[in-house]
């Protein structure tokens, strides 16, 4: 097959992932045995920055399925006439490959997947480990049924269950690995307890200040889980972990432009600031000359800023001033990138640390 003919095929996609170092020879064979197209329904959407766009026609469907893009498979939790918000997808293949690689799987391992979705990851795990070693749980009964059909149609029979991924999988016992394919606001310790000592949890996190990061947590003998941040990730949140809207109070108060808001969208700063300013939520988007961001807190404080413009602050306190003060701390710490941060989860909660698990970043705002 010529290079031109291979463009836009599943084979070309896997070659690209291999060339980027995301698939070793063993995982390459697994992905080749499990075509992504078997797990994608006919009606899907492409995720754009501000909306979901329906995919029309077989050629467009195939082009999206065989690309390194997420494929949105459900809007509005399946409700009709909703606002068109993506609530389930088949994840970006490069991110799937990265997270599977972070699991460090070995023959004989037992794995729990949180969020069956389309069934693609459960099938990949079944191909790699065998059906009896794989457990997968999905909250949405409609998605779970569709996934079960996809998985059975591909010839696999892992342990599937409809239920809440935060609760123990009945009869499973402890596993060697856990992978979440939905973003968590926090890692429940009940999930950590399902993993044997020495086991690994790989999950995306979506906290208030930052949109997403992948953590690789190693379960210790004392039941804690500790590990590094391994880059950014954009995953839809677990339903019970979706953020609650903040109510903003008061009139806006302008102040001179200071910190470029584009800087606070960097994941390294977001990890640091998220630990220092718990509860402060940030959303933002790029503009032609930088970025525009919105920040808010449950107490009614808020701020908005755009590159080259005045900042506006609302409600109690001076939220943008606080963010600028935390930026100065971050600069003093050497502008660490995301991979210098990590997380520890205990039965009392969790915290972010910088460079060393003992160097916990303490909150300045409660």
């Amino acid at each position: 097959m010529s290079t031109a003919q291979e463009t836009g095929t599943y084979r070309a996609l896997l070659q690209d992932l291999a060339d980027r170092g995301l698939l070793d020879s063993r995982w390459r064979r697994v992905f080749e045995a499990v075509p992504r197209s078997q797990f994608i329904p006919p009606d899907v959407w492409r995720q754009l920055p501000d909306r979901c766009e329906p995919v029309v026609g077989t050629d467009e469907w195939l082009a999206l399925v065989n690309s390194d893009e997420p494929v949105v498979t459900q809007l509005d939790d399946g409700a009709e006439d909703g606002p068109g918000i993506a609530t389930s997808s088949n994840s970006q293949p490069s991110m799937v490959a990265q997270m599977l690689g972070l699991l460090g799987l070995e023959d004989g391992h037992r794995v729990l997947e949180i969020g069956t979705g389309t069934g693609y990851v459960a099938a990949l795990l079944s191909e790699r480990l065998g059906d009896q070693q794989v457990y997968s749980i999905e909250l949405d009964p409609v998605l779970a049924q569709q996934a079960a059909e996809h998985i059975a149609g591909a010839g696999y029979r892992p342990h599937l269950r409809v239920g809440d991924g935060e609760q123990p999988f009945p009869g499973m016992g402890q596993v060697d690995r856990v992978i979440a394919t939905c973003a968590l606001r926090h890692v429940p310790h009940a999930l950590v307890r399902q993993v044997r000592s020495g086991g690994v949890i790989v999950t995306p996190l979506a906290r208030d200040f930052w949109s997403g990061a992948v953590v690789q947590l190693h379960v210790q003998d004392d039941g804690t889980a500790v590990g590094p941040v391994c880059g950014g990730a954009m995953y839809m949140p677990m339903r019970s972990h979706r953020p609650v809207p903040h109510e903003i109070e008061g009139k806006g108060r302008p102040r001179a432009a200071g910190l470029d808001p584009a800087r606070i969208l960097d994941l390294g700063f977001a990890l640091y600031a998220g630990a220092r300013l718990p509860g402060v939520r940030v959303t933002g988007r790029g503009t032609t000359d930088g970025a525009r961001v919105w920040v808010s807190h449950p107490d009614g404080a808020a701020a908005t800023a755009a590159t080259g413009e005045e900042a506006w602050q609302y409600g109690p306190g001076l939220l943008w001033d606080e963010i600028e003060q935390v930026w100065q701390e971050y600069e003093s710490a050497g502008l660490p990138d995301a991979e210098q941060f990590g997380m520890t989860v205990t039965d009392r909660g969790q915290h972010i640390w910088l460079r060393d698990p003992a160097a916990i970043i303490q909150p300045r705002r409660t």
Side-chain angles (χ1 to χ4, degrees):
M1 183 179 291
S2 70
T3 301
Q5 289 174 313
E6 285 192 359
T7 301
T9 67
Y10 189 61
R11 180 184 297 181
L13 172 62
L14 298 188
Q15 184 62 54
D16 175 63
L17 298 182
D19 291 343
R20 293 159 61 186
L22 296 173
L23 290 179
D24 60 19
S25 58
R26 181 73 180 270
W27 276 116
R28 173 73 178 268
R29 291 194 296 271
V30 169
F31 274 72
E32 287 174 344
V34 187
R36 189 187 190 197
S37 58
Q38 288 185 294
F39 299 85
I40 309 295
D43 296 327
V44 298
W45 297 261
R46 175 181 280 106
Q47 179 70 68
L48 301 179
D50 59 345
R51 67 186 189 282
C52 291
E53 178 183 76
V55 174
V56 180
T58 302
D59 290 346
E60 187 176 346
W61 186 91
L62 280 171
L64 180 59
V65 170
N66 291 325
S67 72
D68 190 25
E69 292 186 43
V71 179
V72 177
T73 56
Q74 185 195 66
L75 301 180
D76 306 314
D77 295 329
E80 296 183 2
D81 301 321
I85 298 173
T87 50
S88 188
S89 70
N90 185 281
S91 302
Q92 186 178 5
S94 58
M95 184 55 62
V96 172
Q98 177 189 345
M99 290 179 63
L100 289 173
L102 288 171
L103 285 175
L105 289 178
E106 298 177 6
D107 292 348
H109 275 170
R110 300 169 71 240
V111 180
L112 169 63
E113 178 196 18
I114 307 298
T116 313
T118 64
Y120 182 52
V121 172
L124 290 168
L125 290 168
S126 295
E127 174 68 24
R128 172 64 179 83
L129 298 169
D131 295 339
Q132 294 305 306
Q133 304 301 102
V134 178
Y135 298 77
S136 185
I137 187 167
E138 170 61 52
L139 181 65
D140 188 311
V142 174
L143 293 179
Q145 179 60 37
Q146 293 173 350
E149 293 171 0
H150 294 156
I151 294 168
Y156 301 104
R157 297 291 188 277
H159 305 276
L160 302 177
R161 180 172 181 261
V162 179
D164 184 351
E166 293 194 62
Q167 303 302 317
F169 196 117
M172 181 185 68
Q174 287 191 316
V175 295
D176 301 282
R177 300 291 188 266
V178 166
I179 181 171
T181 54
C182 53
L184 308 180
R185 284 178 59 81
H186 63 275
V187 179
H189 197 255
L191 192 61
V192 176
R193 290 196 296 268
Q194 295 183 66
V195 184
R196 67 165 176 82
S197 175
V200 174
I201 300 170
V202 174
T203 180
L205 293 173
R207 303 291 292 276
D208 285 318
F209 206 101
W210 31 285
S211 56
V214 171
V215 293
Q216 181 194 53
L217 303 174
H218 301 261
V219 178
Q220 311 296 302
D221 290 342
D222 63 359
T224 63
V226 184
V229 172
C230 300
M234 295 293 290
Y235 275 79
M236 295 169 196
M238 180 183 282
R239 291 191 183 182
S240 60
H241 288 215
R242 290 174 180 170
V244 176
H246 292 164
E247 297 293 331
I248 308 306
E249 300 178 357
K251 296 181 179 180
R253 307 180 299 277
R255 49 149 287 182
L259 174 67
D260 183 348
R263 291 187 170 187
I264 78 169
L265 299 179
D266 174 78
L267 182 57
F269 175 66
L271 288 162
Y272 182 85
R276 291 289 281 149
L277 301 172
V280 174
R281 183 174 302 158
V282 175
T283 58
R285 58 177 175 82
T287 62
T288 55
D289 57 354
R292 180 177 295 276
V293 301
W294 298 263
V295 298
S296 60
H297 187 267
D299 68 3
T304 180
T307 301
E309 299 180 12
E310 289 182 318
W312 286 76
Q313 303 187 101
Y314 304 81
L318 299 170
L319 189 52
W320 191 253
D321 289 36
E322 287 191 74
I323 289 173
E324 289 192 331
Q325 291 164 12
V326 171
W327 173 265
Q328 292 171 3
E329 297 175 7
Y330 178 67
E331 280 190 314
S332 298
L335 302 175
D337 59 28
E339 284 70 21
Q340 296 184 60
F341 292 86
M343 171 178 278
T344 297
V345 180
T346 73
D347 59 357
R348 298 179 300 279
Q350 59 189 40
H351 49 253
I352 297 292
W353 43 263
L354 176 59
R355 302 189 180 103
D356 187 306
I360 298 170
I361 303 172
Q362 299 291 350
R364 58 177 280 165
R365 177 187 258 270
T366 58

